[in-house]
Amino acid sequence: MSGLNKDLLLALYPMLDQALDLPRAERTAWLERFRAEHPAVAPGLEFLLAQEDQLEARGFLEREDWGDLVDAAPSYEGLTVGAYTLDRSLGRGGMGSVWLAHRSDGRYQGLAAVKLLNLSLLDPVGRERFRREGTLVASLAHPGIARLIDAGVTGPGQPYLVLEYVEGLHLDEYCDRQRLPPERRLALFLQVLAAVGHAHAHLIVHRDLKPSNILVTADGSVKLLDFGIAKLLESDSEAAQRSLLTDLGGLALTPEFAAPEQASGRQVTTATDVYALGVLLYLLLAGQHPTGPRCRTAAEHIRAVLDTEPPRLSAAVRGSGPVSASDLARVAEARATTVDRLARLYRGDLDNILLKALKKNPVERYASVMAFGDDLERYLKHQPVTARPDSVGYRATKFMRRNRTGVTLAALIVLAMAAGLVGTMTQARAAAAQRDFALRQLARAEAVNDLNGFLLSDAAPSGRPFTVGHLLAQAESVVMGQHGDSGANRVEMLVSIGQQYATLDETGKARRMLERAHALSRTLTDPSARARAGCALGSIVSRSGERDRAERFFREALAELPEEPQFAMDRIFCLLRGGEIARHAMDGRTSVERTEAARALVGQVPFSSEVLAMRVEMDVAESYRVADQFLEANRAFEQAARHLAALGREETETAGTLYNNWALSLYLAGRPLEAETLFRRAVRLASSESGESTVSPMLLTNLARTLSRLARHQEARDYAERAYAEARKAGEERVLYQALLVLATIYRELGDLDRSAGVLAEAEQYLERMFPAGHVVFFALAREQALLAQARGDLGAAEEALARALAIVEGEDQLAAVRPALLLRRSDLALQSGRVAQATRDAVLGLELIKQVTEAGTPSAGLGAAYLSLGRALRAQGDTTRARATFAAALEQLRPTLGPDHPDTRLAAESARK
């Protein structure tokens, strides 16, 4: 195999898989066809097949000598890989071999599937990236995705994956064995879409979706295999990707499920998975591939994918190609129906849904798997689907099908209405009121649209660079100079400008604009204008810690709005602002109540808005984050990311805000490595062509805090110092004190204790000026003062400061999640002072509290820190056996969340061996 370069190997491996799956008698004929079509590369495939035959004949790899590994593994029974021992082979192919394994390190009992990858897939640089990226792929936590437990490279250089072991049948085999009708098959397919959508929200594309990668368990649950494996194996070099064999489709892929962009070597995106899912659904419903039965070789599939439009689903099941009547009857029988009924069922909506998913141009497909699933759910509910051209007749047909009984009754009601003309006068008055309300809303929308048009055209200085701040200042000047427009419209525009200033963290300017809007709204009787101005002002006031005043603005404004459907949008706006007020006060419970109430109102809005749904989900997610309910927060962030993808806004400022907030949630959940990835994405989106000078100081502070937790203090210092400078220049005291607290941590970790003390003193001045004595934010100051005193060796001062922090936290329900970390700090102080019993008690309590807020099955750096503290206390007691086990537990939590080279991870590893 030494004569084959890596690019050729990657392109040949899917062909090798296909050849190995064939009986030997069929393999010879298949190889002859392949040789005729691809004379340049056929010798390489023949070489690989010959090597497989030789290895099997010699039993070459039945030994346990890793140093002599080549590229296949017929037998490794009894070999230990990481914490697992291999039991028996589950299968093999061109990419490697898969083994059933059991956990053998004594921690707990369990089975896993261990995949030994071919050595030639990764060069030394690739192996390093393989180790690095394994933790990102392992972050996928969804019931429909077989979890990647570990990914690594052994000492001699063998790459391996440890995956959740799943017993089940391939999706198509399960459907046929159970003789599932199309509706049941669609229900299973929707499970597949949900799992793929989860991965896409984590920015991971599968790239090789096919029936053999989707299992159905005995209870009817779907499990997707090999998610993220393609990401782990992809080359770091774009040049390497371009040099792959275009003769075989451009990339290492499964030809039958390859999208046109894969086959032609173009960029792989989430739309690539949408295409593969379309092929999969076509196969499940029609019992045949969309390229037709004539395509037997890989090259024929590739040509059909690039050049031939698939037949409609309804035509395929009737026999649009050389398929016998008996084969068509068997397909229908496996779906518990007849050929004619199957064709009628598929005609129309399902035809169009599949054709849209299989568009050759990725832009013309469904924008996301969520949009694909939404159309299928609409089909199952007999609602109009987006893949079919809309018409009055079509929508009426769907309505009547959904509401057969209601339509019949409606016909009778129409007759009765002829006798009720007097009652219509009251309805007419109500309709007139609604019409007037709608016209007012339209006028406001038009005013805001006109303002936006001004910003995008007239306000921008011709030929000169400009900033968003410049445009907003121009808009402010224009709105304040208007006299002919209605007061309600001016309020709406002022609120819009104020909200934009708030988005830019320019709190002072935002407050000035919103105070003007509020004052103007007080002269009006319009409830919408009064409510929106009051709620927006309350939100911006809360940023300065004035919770009581902010709450008063919010409650008075919300009371202005009647509980009628036409005010649903205004109530949603106010409830979301109320959620912000509660979050600024760190009252997560109230914030969740308000944002969930807003979410419940979305269904009352008289139109469907992906933008509204996205913004509500973002606020719901933030509320759960502040409430330390990270599982719910991450679910809502995922949903918001799906809405964002459906809107095509992954490269916008809103996307940057979403990634920042999501990253913060992951950081607080004890997953800083994942958080760093999203923070970096947010920074990239916020950066201009000239660099990162346009990134908000709050985002810089968040990234600095994360890098500091990952023990990359030099890099963290650069970001924190920039955040401090930018916040000071903008007068953003709310960001200033946070940047100072992060800087204090970084300077302390770097050993510059005097500088740490200086920035802590400056932070204290800002806090005392901004917040009343005893405010919850002072716990963070006290905690940093304790850690600084401990670093200086003044344990008495450290314990005193830590006691102040605990006193603040224990009096505030919303800070319950902070208490465990403070208890662990107290445990370390007690141990340093020789009070072993107290150290053990605090570590045990801290560990139990952290478990209560940690998502089951998801690694957490906080949990790892708790195990570390407890391990140290147990070792001080002389209980070395329990201490080693506890350190091993810490290692399992810290390696995927902080990385293998983090000081805490190395400490846990060393301590577990002692």
Side-chain angles (χ1 to χ4, degrees):
M1 194 171 290
S2 58
L4 304 180
N5 64 37
K6 180 184 175 185
D7 294 341
L8 180 56
L9 284 169
L10 284 170
L12 285 175
Y13 274 135
M15 307 302 109
L16 180 60
D17 277 338
Q18 191 171 353
L20 291 173
D21 286 340
L22 295 172
R24 286 191 178 275
E26 295 181 23
R27 189 189 301 175
T28 302
W30 181 91
L31 188 57
E32 287 179 359
R33 290 194 301 272
F34 185 87
R35 190 184 297 115
E37 294 181 353
H38 308 290
V41 298
L45 182 61
E46 291 172 336
F47 176 81
L48 293 174
L49 287 167
Q51 186 186 55
E52 294 282 337
D53 291 341
Q54 291 173 11
L55 290 172
E56 286 185 0
R58 292 162 47 198
F60 179 70
L61 290 176
E62 293 178 3
R63 297 172 296 153
E64 296 184 2
D65 183 2
W66 286 89
D68 293 336
L69 281 176
V70 190
D71 285 326
S75 179
Y76 272 129
E77 292 180 10
L79 187 69
T80 298
V81 178
Y84 291 85
T85 299
L86 308 187
D87 294 331
R88 61 180 172 86
S89 174
L90 293 175
R92 57 184 298 205
M95 303 294 274
S97 57
V98 184
W99 298 81
L100 179 65
H102 67 274
R103 183 98 187 203
S104 57
D105 62 352
R107 291 290 317 288
Y108 56 84
Q109 295 182 342
L111 296 177
V114 175
K115 177 170 285 194
L116 304 179
L117 297 170
N118 289 334
L119 291 175
S120 54
L121 290 175
L122 295 172
D123 54 24
V125 174
R127 289 173 197 163
E128 265 312 304
R129 195 188 53 73
F130 183 86
R131 288 189 182 98
R132 205 169 59 239
E133 300 250 348
T135 54
L136 174 62
V137 177
S139 68
L140 291 179
H142 189 277
I145 298 177
R147 192 162 66 91
L148 176 61
I149 299 169
D150 195 10
V153 182
T154 66
Q158 168 67 49
Y160 68 89
L161 305 165
V162 182
L163 305 113
E164 175 188 354
Y165 174 59
V166 181
E167 286 189 88
L169 296 173
H170 294 168
L171 178 61
D172 55 344
E173 182 183 3
Y174 177 87
C175 289
D176 288 347
R177 282 195 187 185
Q178 299 288 327
R179 296 184 69 244
L180 296 185
E183 293 82 1
R184 295 273 305 280
R185 292 171 184 249
L186 287 172
L188 278 177
F189 186 72
L190 286 170
Q191 290 187 44
V192 176
L193 292 182
V196 177
H198 171 87
H200 285 182
H202 281 75
L203 314 176
I204 297 176
V205 180
H206 194 290
R207 311 180 193 208
D208 194 24
L209 289 163
K210 54 189 175 183
S212 61
N213 274 335
I214 304 170
L215 299 183
V216 184
T217 61
D219 65 355
S221 299
V222 165
K223 282 280 188 180
L224 272 66
L225 310 180
D226 284 359
F227 231 123
I229 305 307
K231 178 177 178 62
L232 290 176
L233 296 179
E234 73 179 348
S235 172
D236 286 325
S237 167
E238 292 182 5
Q241 184 172 347
R242 288 194 298 271
S243 67
L244 293 176
L245 257 181
T246 56
D247 187 41
L248 291 177
L251 291 168
L253 45 79
T254 303
E256 293 90 335
F257 293 88
E261 60 269 23
Q262 283 178 293
S264 57
R266 288 178 284 131
Q267 184 180 9
V268 171
T269 66
T270 55
T272 305
D273 279 354
V274 170
Y275 185 93
L277 289 164
V279 175
L280 178 64
L281 183 57
Y282 198 105
L283 189 65
L284 289 178
L285 296 179
Q288 59 182 280
H289 195 278
T291 58
R294 288 193 180 91
C295 295
R296 294 175 57 84
T297 68
E300 288 172 343
H301 276 293
I302 293 297
R303 280 195 290 271
V305 163
L306 291 172
D307 302 331
T308 307
E309 292 295 334
R312 285 182 171 271
L313 194 63
S314 56
V317 296
R318 279 192 179 277
S320 61
V323 183
S324 67
S326 60
D327 286 340
L328 293 174
R330 277 194 295 271
V331 167
E333 183 182 357
R335 287 147 185 81
T337 186
T338 66
V339 171
D340 287 341
R341 287 177 181 172
L342 204 59
R344 286 198 301 271
L345 180 67
Y346 292 166
R347 187 181 300 118
D349 284 351
L350 279 177
D351 276 340
N352 287 293
I353 289 172
L354 265 297
L355 289 177
K356 180 165 183 167
L358 294 172
K359 289 289 187 183
K360 298 193 183 301
N361 185 349
V363 177
E364 296 178 3
R365 293 175 209 148
Y366 285 102
S368 65
V369 294
M370 181 180 69
F372 191 0
D374 286 346
D375 244 7
L376 290 173
E377 288 183 343
R378 280 190 282 267
Y379 165 78
L380 290 172
K381 295 175 182 176
H382 306 300
Q383 296 174 344
V385 302
T386 63
R388 179 164 178 162
D390 207 356
S391 68
V392 174
Y394 170 62
R395 297 182 71 88
T397 301
K398 284 292 181 181
F399 178 82
M400 288 187 287
R401 190 171 180 185
R402 289 197 311 274
N403 304 277
R404 296 175 190 267
T405 302
V407 169
T408 303
L409 291 174
L412 298 175
I413 291 170
V414 167
L415 297 176
M417 285 176 62
L421 292 176
V422 174
T424 62
M425 298 300 294
T426 302
Q427 295 175 359
R429 284 194 294 270
Q434 292 179 358
R435 179 201 62 204
D436 293 342
F437 175 83
L439 288 173
R440 289 197 303 273
Q441 296 292 344
L442 181 62
R444 289 184 199 172
E446 182 63 27
V448 173
N449 286 340
D450 181 68
L451 176 64
N452 290 336
F454 164 78
L455 293 178
L456 294 173
S457 55
D458 295 349
S462 178
R464 299 200 309 273
F466 60 91
T467 65
V468 176
H470 170 86
L471 295 183
L472 289 174
Q474 288 279 82
E476 178 182 345
S477 175
V478 168
V479 173
M480 294 310 297
Q482 287 179 348
H483 299 290
D485 210 342
S486 75
N489 288 358
R490 290 182 66 201
V491 168
E492 187 70 24
M493 288 186 284
L494 290 171
V495 168
S496 179
I497 297 170
Q499 293 277 98
Q500 289 296 322
Y501 275 131
T503 300
L504 297 175
D505 281 333
E506 297 195 25
T507 307
K509 294 178 181 178
R511 183 163 181 163
R512 186 184 70 246
M513 293 301 298
L514 293 173
E515 283 175 343
R516 289 176 177 174
H518 184 259
L520 178 58
S521 73
R522 298 304 96 183
T523 66
L524 307 174
T525 59
D526 186 301
S528 294
R530 293 171 64 90
R532 293 172 77 89
C535 289
L537 180 57
S539 174
I540 206 67
V541 164
S542 69
R543 292 192 179 191
S544 302
E546 303 172 68
R547 181 180 184 181
D548 291 342
R549 188 163 181 246
E551 278 288 327
R552 187 169 65 254
F553 280 129
F554 164 70
R555 293 179 186 278
E556 290 176 355
L558 189 63
E560 299 268 6
L561 294 170
E563 294 190 14
E564 297 174 10
Q566 62 262 40
F567 292 98
M569 281 287 290
D570 297 318
R571 294 188 69 82
I572 290 171
F573 178 88
C574 268
L575 286 166
L576 295 183
R577 303 293 80 73
E580 289 176 6
I581 292 168
R583 290 197 298 275
H584 290 148
M586 301 181 73
D587 184 354
R589 184 183 306 170
T590 300
S591 186
V592 166
E593 290 173 358
R594 291 172 179 175
T595 54
E596 282 287 12
R599 180 195 259 173
L601 284 172
V602 170
Q604 295 185 22
V605 176
F607 57 87
S608 177
S609 169
E610 199 90 46
V611 174
L612 176 65
M614 176 192 68
R615 296 195 181 280
V616 170
E617 287 297 331
M618 286 177 65
D619 277 54
V620 169
E622 270 291 271
S623 299
Y624 277 118
R625 178 187 66 76
V626 172
D628 299 316
Q629 298 180 47
F630 302 117
L631 174 61
E632 290 82 359
N634 288 327
R635 284 174 178 166
F637 277 123
E638 284 183 18
Q639 186 64 26
R642 292 191 190 102
H643 288 302
L644 194 77
L647 289 163
R649 298 187 182 184
E650 290 119 318
E651 298 293 320
T652 61
E653 182 181 327
T654 300
T657 301
L658 171 61
Y659 294 138
N660 172 76
N661 295 348
W662 193 354
L664 193 54
S665 178
L666 289 169
Y667 174 84
L668 294 172
R671 296 153 67 181
L673 272 177
E674 296 172 65
E676 185 202 356
T677 300
L678 290 181
F679 277 135
R680 296 277 189 194
R681 183 174 288 267
V683 167
R684 179 182 64 78
L685 291 174
S687 302
S688 65
E689 292 182 1
S690 59
E692 297 178 352
S693 59
T694 56
V695 180
S696 77
M698 191 70 256
L699 175 52
L700 294 173
T701 301
N702 289 338
L703 179 56
R705 184 186 293 111
T706 304
L707 292 171
S708 178
R709 182 67 184 94
L710 293 171
R712 287 149 60 185
H713 302 299
Q714 296 285 359
E715 190 179 2
R717 181 185 62 188
D718 293 341
Y719 279 106
E721 287 178 345
R722 282 173 48 199
Y724 170 76
E726 293 295 328
R728 186 167 186 175
K729 183 168 63 176
E732 289 297 320
E733 294 186 347
R734 181 178 62 90
V735 184
L736 259 177
Y737 81 79
Q738 295 189 55
L740 286 167
L741 290 174
V742 172
L743 275 171
T745 300
I746 294 168
Y747 291 144
R748 172 173 47 78
E749 292 288 352
L750 290 172
D752 194 344
L753 303 186
D754 289 341
R755 201 167 184 185
S756 178
V759 295
L760 271 183
E762 187 178 353
E764 186 172 14
Q765 292 176 4
Y766 282 112
L767 289 171
E768 289 177 346
R769 184 162 65 241
M770 292 174 63
F771 302 101
H775 193 277
V776 293
V777 299
F778 284 97
F779 92 88
L781 176 69
R783 179 193 59 201
E784 289 303 320
Q785 290 170 335
L787 294 173
L788 178 61
Q790 184 180 13
R792 284 176 160 167
D794 190 347
L795 300 187
E799 290 181 352
E800 181 183 341
L802 196 57
R804 289 200 306 272
L806 276 165
I808 295 171
V809 167
E810 288 171 352
E812 298 287 345
D813 290 342
Q814 62 265 34
L815 291 179
V818 176
R819 187 166 176 255
L822 296 178
L823 289 171
L824 297 181
R825 295 295 186 187
R826 193 168 72 180
S827 173
D828 291 344
L829 275 173
L831 194 61
Q832 196 172 349
S833 300
R835 301 193 303 277
V836 178
Q838 182 187 337
T840 305
R841 286 194 301 272
D842 281 341
V844 169
L845 180 56
L847 175 62
E848 292 304 314
L849 291 174
I850 291 176
K851 284 182 177 180
Q852 293 174 17
V853 297
T854 301
E855 182 179 344
T858 302
S860 162
L863 206 52
Y867 279 122
L868 263 185
S869 290
L870 181 57
R872 284 193 289 261
L874 291 171
R875 188 172 57 191
Q877 287 181 346
D879 192 344
T880 55
T881 301
R882 288 178 61 200
R884 278 198 298 269
T886 305
F887 284 126
L891 180 61
E892 188 169 326
Q893 299 292 326
L894 297 174
R895 184 185 284 126
T897 56
L898 298 181
D901 297 325
H902 192 280
D904 288 353
T905 308
R906 292 201 302 268
L907 174 62
E910 293 167 3
S911 300
R913 292 193 294 266
K914 292 181 181 178

